[in-house]
Amino acid sequence: PGRGLSSMDDLLQAPVMLARDYPDACSNRDAAYSNYEALQLAWGEQDDYQVVRKVGRGKYSEVFEGLDKHGHRCIIKILKPVKKKKI
């Protein structure tokens, strides 16, 4: 089993972990890139899709098989509401 961090001293001495690929990806962006409070979503037309059957579900979403307006099969993922403090 791994060793947990039990005190502030352990936390301050813990090694810094960097992503192997693109470790500086977010630091090269302006502050607006991660300002989720100001994010404005432009939703598309939902009437263009028809749900055929439920495929699965998880903690944060449900997944359905569907058809788009041209009759092509697609997957529709519907996110469940999440409390702001979990984001």
Side-chain angles (χ1 to χ4, degrees):
R3 182 177 159 267
L5 299 175
S6 59
S7 70
M8 183 58 81
D9 289 333
D10 287 342
L11 182 61
L12 293 173
Q13 294 175 12
V16 175
M17 304 299 285
L18 292 176
R20 183 177 356 156
D21 298 319
Y22 309 109
D24 59 348
C26 292
S27 62
N28 293 334
R29 306 270 186 164
D30 62 4
Y33 179 74
S34 58
N35 184 1
Y36 303 117
E37 297 291 326
L39 179 65
Q40 297 291 320
L41 294 176
W43 298 102
E45 185 61 42
Q46 296 174 9
D47 291 336
D48 291 344
Y49 298 91
Q50 176 184 354
V51 172
V52 175
R53 68 182 178 96
K54 187 173 185 175
V55 176
R57 67 185 175 122
K59 185 173 183 179
Y60 297 110
S61 65
E62 293 189 13
V63 182
F64 300 88
E65 178 184 346
L67 298 172
D68 68 10
K69 65 182 178 181
H70 304 291
H72 299 122
R73 292 176 60 200
C74 63
I75 291 294
I76 302 167
K77 186 171 189 175
I78 300 178
L79 301 177
K80 296 177 183 177
V82 177
K83 292 181 182 177
K84 208 173 222 185
K85 68 180 182 179
K86 291 190 175 188
I87 298 176

